[in-house]
Amino acid sequence: MAAAKGDRQVVSVDGRRITLTNLTKVLYPETGTTKADVLRYYAEIADVMIAYTAQRPATRKRWVHGVGTPDEPGEVFYQKNLDPSSTPDWVARREIEHSSHNNEYPLVNDRATLTWLAQIAALEIHVPQWQFERTGGARNPDRLVLDLDPGPGLSLVECAHVAFLARDILTGMGLDPHPVTSGSKGIHLYSALDGSLTSDQVSEVAHELARALEADHPDLIVSDMKKTLRLGKVLIDWSQNNRAKTTIAPYSLRGQFTPTVAAPRTWEELEDPDLAQLDFEEVLDRVSGRGDLLAPLAASRTAALEPTPEHMARFDSTPAAQDRLSKYRSMRDGAKTPEPVPDEAAALTSGNSFVIQEHHARRLHYDFRLEHEGVLVSWAVPKGPPLAGTDNHLAVQTEDHPLEYGTFEGRIPAGEYGAGEVTIWDAGTFELEKWREGKEVIATLTGRPDGGLGGVPRKYALIHTRRPGAENNWLIHLMDGTAKKNSPQHPSSSSAGPTKQLAESGKNRRSSIAAPTTPIGRPLIEPMLAAAGGARDIDDEHDWAFEMKWDGYRAVVYVDDGTVRLLSRNGNDLTDTFPELVQPLRDAVGATSAVLDGEVVALDRHGRPSFHLLQSRAGLSEDESAARSASIELMLFDLLELEGHDITGDDYDVRRAALEKVVSPAGPIRVPPEFDGDFEAARSSSEQLSLEGIVAKERDSPYLPGKRSRSWIKVKHEKMQEVVIVGWRPGAGNATNAVGSLILGIPDERGIRYAGRVGTGFTDRDRRAWVKKFAPMALDAPPVHDAPSEELSRAKWIRPELVGEVTFLQWTSTGALRHSSWRGWRPDKTPEDVRVE
């Protein structure tokens, strides 16, 4: 089932909704094969391919812009680690510990996952020879592989000859080899194993086999990887049996210039002197007519899959750190408390129960518990779960609890941990939308008809704040619209926390306070800065979100119990400059305390941002009529603090979701939507809207206050450069008493260097007004260390304190701006902020 819109479709694949885009994009130019063709292939081949990828960590090779041509090959990205922020929650995944870090890999266990991988142009799927255990560890390999790779001067025919030589030895060892033409240059030989040997042992056997064949056929075979030894010989690569190595998965496409496939073959085919690699259409026809030629190998993957008594004994004896209830038991004595204290480790389950308990301990709080992997993952919520969509409450994660705790009510004796009365406030089941371990949980809870949640489904988001010194702190937010501010209080709820919240939720918490004029009295947060770049910087190693770039003044917004402040990036107060934004911000921000990042823009009569109008509105231009006509709006695009909690360490997607929940756009307050499309579409849309450009942001990137990071890339349609104004030249003729051109500088390691002049882009009124502006800033000597001689006789120098912005055509060989045009002043920047874009 698919909902289509242009070259974009939302499809349902075995019950999973997947958005497909750019279906007509050609990924194989030599054959005209499109992304739609690739998606069709993987959808049809999934029934046989998954047997060889399931439960194995998948490494992906992606060609987002296609494989290219022999004259101009496409760029390929090799991906091991999974980006959880851009991966659908239903994709199975497992983590592998490496020497210096951990990587999370997807498991290609179903057709939906294959479809998702094809959508992101992951043409090649590489997997190891082992699978994950159900408990997460690595099983012994269930297959042995030999990769026969022809050296320079040889072809597939010589590889087939070596394959027959290897078959004789393998069958003599009791192994039944199955050939697969790799889709690239060579042949793979697979033999099923029973899971009794380790990866090291299998590698050793494969290495000895390769050396034996090399000894018998030294003129044809080599087992050493050195390229200098491979001329005119077939390499038997035995190393892919190593636990850390992978091989192209059977039935995977290859990123060759034609859409070939790692295709199972018969031994009879290998005798054909015209043996060639197969493309995807040929493979689909063969599977339709012959079935899966590798079926005997597929059977081996289930060897010892179910836990054996020996395996379970080993698992049960793992350290207590592997027991999710060990901390819970260490804090309780079953002989002294009525709470359930099980003796055994929790068994893995996949239930979806929840319970919220009202806990009258030293302080009243609410215990919010969700069933996950056999335990109740728990948070203590001092104010109770929010029942109004604008509220965010602190949730402190505590130790996991046993499932039996879901029905517990009673009094914990004095002197015991958590002493006090525990009652069930609500309980029921939940529908999970997202569970990102340690980062974010989204679930819809359906409780009892008479429970504290009011008998209606409520969708909650739990977001980890990652605040140093408070690692267990999360925020809990009500995401759905089932409880508006005027929700009635549920009659059965008598607690002081959520009940009081419901009773008072219709009241306006924000008083009408005049725009503040005194310092905010708190540390400033400098905004994160984007690095300049272009298409080549938007690598496929990361998943990117695309936003429009707004042509205005950067503003960090502080909201604190009705008080609103707008500060520029260098700390200048913009609140009085744009007072019309204060009250709308009070109305739009649904939090008592928040810090937001955005851009103040002025819109022309066509609704497009105008930097000229913004200059007039800010009093930096003498154009009074323009100032009166400017319509000021605030574009909010990030959330940095919420209810006193620093969330800059959270991923972009987490912050963005929180921003959209906290801010209710209205009037001049906007939360521009993230662009739904790829880089080229975003840039094209920005041009059509006459915007300044776009900003690409890595979805898994944190917010780095005051830092310029390449996890944010700004791409402008015009070349722009911030400059320091270091002087001016008088005009000619009737303009001798006005500014003819501004002299520009750019900071470098020696101070400030000369960067040319700009003489267009400003009005006659501006030219006259600037003479008065510059008079008290006059200098006798140039503030640049390399002033050209032609400037020394005519220039009037000023203190290098003012920053402006120009557009230009190119840089000259001497480092000056050519064909520049004035855009306006940048009061939000200091000379120290200026650098070559």
Side-chain angles (χ1 to χ4, degrees):
M1 182 178 182
K5 186 178 182 181
D7 197 27
R8 180 177 183 272
Q9 291 186 10
V10 178
V11 299
S12 177
V13 180
D14 297 339
R16 306 296 191 185
R17 287 174 59 83
I18 306 173
T19 300
L20 306 180
T21 59
N22 300 316
L23 296 175
T24 59
K25 177 183 282 187
V26 176
L27 296 182
Y28 293 87
E30 294 277 294
T31 57
T33 305
T34 65
K35 181 191 279 190
D37 295 324
V38 170
L39 285 160
R40 174 175 61 85
Y41 170 73
Y42 274 126
E44 293 184 21
I45 206 66
D47 288 336
V48 293
M49 180 175 174
I50 288 168
Y52 310 103
T53 60
Q55 298 302 120
R56 302 177 197 271
T59 298
R60 294 84 64 209
K61 292 179 71 174
R62 299 174 63 189
W63 283 264
V64 176
H65 303 297
V67 300
T69 64
D71 293 333
E72 191 173 350
E75 191 172 6
V76 59
F77 302 98
Y78 200 76
Q79 281 192 304
K80 291 186 177 182
N81 200 21
L82 191 66
D83 182 356
S85 65
S86 61
T87 304
D89 295 315
W90 43 260
V91 173
R93 65 201 75 188
R94 287 287 191 180
E95 196 170 79
I96 296 178
E97 182 177 350
H98 297 278
S99 57
S100 61
H101 64 284
N102 290 358
N103 278 345
E104 191 174 47
Y105 293 79
L107 309 181
V108 187
N109 290 353
D110 50 49
R111 190 192 321 270
T113 301
L114 262 180
T115 302
W116 169 69
L117 290 171
Q119 159 59 25
I120 62 173
L123 301 180
E124 291 190 6
I125 311 298
H126 295 247
V127 293
Q129 315 317 318
W130 54 270
Q131 300 177 73
F132 280 108
E133 296 175 324
R134 294 188 185 279
T135 52
R139 296 173 57 215
N140 284 340
D142 52 61
R143 61 200 190 198
L144 175 149
V145 66
L146 297 176
D147 180 4
L148 312 182
D149 189 12
L154 300 187
S155 67
L156 206 56
V157 173
E158 287 80 15
C159 289
H161 181 54
V162 174
F164 280 104
L165 297 175
R167 182 178 70 165
D168 293 340
I169 296 180
L170 289 167
T171 53
M173 298 167 59
L175 300 176
D176 182 17
H178 301 273
V180 174
T181 46
S182 69
S184 179
K185 295 183 295 181
I187 294 174
H188 296 156
L189 293 182
Y190 286 97
S191 295
L193 301 176
D194 63 5
S196 62
L197 299 178
T198 67
S199 292
D200 288 343
Q201 291 171 323
V202 175
S203 291
E204 185 176 350
V205 170
H207 195 183
E208 287 300 321
L209 188 154
R211 280 195 288 221
L213 284 167
E214 180 182 25
D216 290 341
H217 307 277
D219 295 331
L220 178 61
I221 297 172
V222 63
S223 64
D224 194 306
M225 300 289 288
K226 293 186 182 68
K227 289 186 178 180
T228 56
L229 303 176
R230 296 171 58 182
L231 180 64
K233 297 182 180 181
V234 174
L235 169 69
I236 299 181
D237 183 359
W238 51 269
S239 68
Q240 293 178 32
N241 296 283
N242 185 295
R243 182 181 180 275
K245 295 292 187 70
T246 62
T247 307
I248 188 75
Y251 294 108
S252 172
L253 280 164
R254 298 305 297 258
Q256 303 295 305
F257 297 121
T258 59
T260 52
V261 171
R265 310 298 287 266
T266 66
W267 285 104
E268 289 76 13
E269 287 181 286
L270 263 61
E271 296 175 339
D272 187 343
D274 296 322
L275 179 67
Q277 304 288 348
L278 299 178
D279 69 22
F280 75 104
E281 296 286 12
E282 292 173 305
V283 170
L284 288 176
D285 289 341
R286 288 163 60 89
V287 170
S288 176
R290 303 188 189 188
D292 179 17
L293 297 177
L294 271 185
L297 182 70
S300 70
R301 72 186 183 92
T302 60
L305 179 62
E306 296 303 324
T308 63
E310 293 77 17
H311 167 78
M312 293 309 296
R314 175 163 56 85
F315 175 63
D316 289 342
S317 62
T318 53
Q322 302 297 322
D323 177 6
R324 296 188 64 167
L325 295 179
S326 60
K327 184 176 181 180
Y328 173 89
R329 276 194 295 272
S330 71
M331 302 166 72
R332 292 165 178 82
D333 184 345
K336 297 180 179 179
T337 177
E339 300 166 280
V341 185
D343 295 328
E344 299 179 353
L348 290 175
T349 64
S350 57
N352 63 334
S353 66
F354 84 87
V355 64
I356 303 173
Q357 287 155 320
E358 187 174 327
H359 193 168
H360 290 265
R362 186 162 56 97
R363 289 184 179 180
L364 171 65
H365 65 271
Y366 294 78
D367 293 316
F368 188 97
R369 313 189 195 280
L370 301 177
E371 180 178 351
H372 184 63
E373 295 185 347
V375 298
L376 291 173
V377 180
S378 301
W379 292 264
V381 186
K383 293 184 179 181
L387 298 173
T390 57
D391 292 316
N392 298 276
H393 290 177
L394 172 67
V396 181
Q397 188 165 15
T398 62
E399 72 280 7
D400 295 334
H401 282 51
L403 294 181
E404 296 91 328
Y405 215 98
T407 58
F408 172 70
E409 290 186 295
R411 176 171 290 277
I412 302 172
E416 296 301 304
Y417 175 76
E421 189 72 24
V422 176
T423 58
I424 294 178
W425 187 75
D426 208 339
T429 60
F430 67 89
E431 182 179 347
L432 184 64
E433 180 176 320
K434 181 180 293 187
W435 193 295
R436 296 173 59 211
E437 197 67 43
K439 295 182 179 180
E440 180 185 20
V441 177
I442 299 177
T444 299
L445 279 58
T446 302
R448 300 170 176 172
D450 60 348
L453 295 179
V456 294
R458 296 183 188 268
K459 185 176 181 179
Y460 286 103
L462 287 142
I463 302 172
H464 191 202
T465 64
R466 299 186 187 177
R467 185 180 179 187
E471 286 76 11
N472 292 333
N473 285 5
W474 295 56
L475 295 178
I476 183 170
H477 178 82
L478 180 66
M479 297 183 69
D480 64 2
T482 57
K484 303 297 183 184
K485 282 193 170 185
N486 59 356
S487 296
Q489 177 181 343
H490 195 280
S492 67
S493 182
S494 60
S495 62
T499 303
K500 182 178 180 180
Q501 174 193 335
L502 271 177
E504 297 182 352
S505 62
K507 299 179 181 178
N508 186 354
R509 292 182 288 107
R510 304 176 185 84
S511 58
S512 180
I513 302 175
T517 57
T518 56
I520 63 173
R522 56 169 294 167
L524 298 177
I525 299 179
E526 295 183 60
M528 180 175 172
L529 306 177
R536 68 180 60 187
D537 298 291
I538 314 301
D539 62 71
D540 199 56
E541 192 73 17
H542 303 89
D543 192 18
W544 298 86
F546 299 105
E547 298 178 356
M548 298 295 109
K549 190 176 190 310
W550 302 101
D551 198 2
Y553 291 161
R554 192 75 172 273
V556 178
V557 180
Y558 297 80
V559 177
D560 199 359
D561 198 22
T563 298
V564 173
R565 280 294 177 103
L566 287 84
L567 274 69
S568 71
R569 58 175 281 184
N570 54 12
N572 293 331
D573 198 332
L574 302 176
T575 315
D576 290 338
T577 306
F578 305 108
E580 65 265 53
L581 297 177
V582 174
Q583 187 57 48
L585 274 167
R586 293 193 189 111
D587 296 335
V589 178
T592 304
S593 173
V595 179
L596 308 101
D597 190 2
E599 191 97 356
V600 178
V601 300
L603 303 182
D604 63 17
R605 58 191 180 88
H606 299 294
R608 294 169 178 166
S610 167
F611 197 69
H612 169 69
L613 288 180
L614 188 64
Q615 295 274 294
S616 303
R617 181 62 178 72
L620 299 174
S621 168
E622 298 297 313
D623 190 345
E624 296 179 4
S625 62
R628 288 192 297 270
S629 65
S631 174
I632 299 299
E633 294 197 355
L634 176 63
M635 308 296 181
L636 295 172
F637 47 73
D638 220 317
L639 181 64
L640 315 185
E641 284 189 11
L642 185 60
E643 304 296 10
H645 297 284
D646 179 0
I647 62 172
T648 56
D650 286 345
D651 292 353
Y652 165 87
D653 278 345
V654 175
R655 301 193 313 274
R656 179 78 190 193
L659 173 70
E660 292 175 354
K661 298 301 180 292
V662 168
V663 178
S664 300
I669 309 304
R670 307 289 185 191
V671 178
E674 172 192 336
F675 185 81
D676 185 14
D678 62 12
F679 169 77
E680 291 299 339
R683 184 162 61 175
S684 175
S685 179
S686 176
E687 286 182 319
Q688 292 172 9
L689 295 171
S690 299
L691 300 180
E692 185 182 2
I694 65 171
V695 181
K697 300 180 179 180
E698 292 179 11
R699 291 187 178 278
D700 60 353
S701 64
Y703 189 97
L704 304 173
K707 303 292 185 183
R708 189 179 299 276
S709 170
R710 298 202 69 79
S711 59
W712 286 13
I713 301 292
K714 58 183 177 182
V715 182
K716 298 180 180 180
H717 302 310
E718 290 185 293
K719 289 184 179 180
M720 297 182 191
Q721 178 63 49
E722 293 167 2
V723 290
V724 181
I725 309 305
V726 297
W728 59 285
R729 275 191 180 190
N734 295 331
T736 54
N737 295 321
V739 172
S741 61
L742 298 175
I743 303 174
L744 314 177
I746 291 180
D748 65 6
E749 64 278 0
R750 295 176 56 192
I752 299 178
R753 68 172 177 83
Y754 177 78
R757 296 193 309 274
V758 58
T760 62
F762 24 71
T763 67
D764 291 340
R765 183 177 296 178
D766 289 333
R767 295 175 189 272
R768 292 191 296 270
W770 289 347
V771 174
K772 297 179 181 179
K773 182 184 184 75
F774 296 153
M777 303 174 65
L779 292 176
D780 294 331
V784 292
H785 58 73
D786 59 346
S789 57
E790 64 180 87
E791 297 287 12
L792 295 176
S793 61
R794 298 190 57 191
K796 295 181 181 293
W797 305 106
I798 64 174
R799 294 193 303 271
E801 299 172 353
L802 303 175
V803 175
E805 188 171 66
V806 299
T807 61
F808 68 103
L809 180 63
Q810 60 184 169
W811 293 95
T812 69
S813 59
T814 59
L817 295 159
R818 176 175 291 166
H819 298 304
S820 57
S821 179
W822 181 251
R823 293 196 73 241
W825 296 103
R826 298 306 310 232
D828 54 334
K829 306 290 180 71
T830 66
E832 291 76 19
D833 297 324
V834 175
R835 66 185 68 198
V836 174
E837 291 286 348

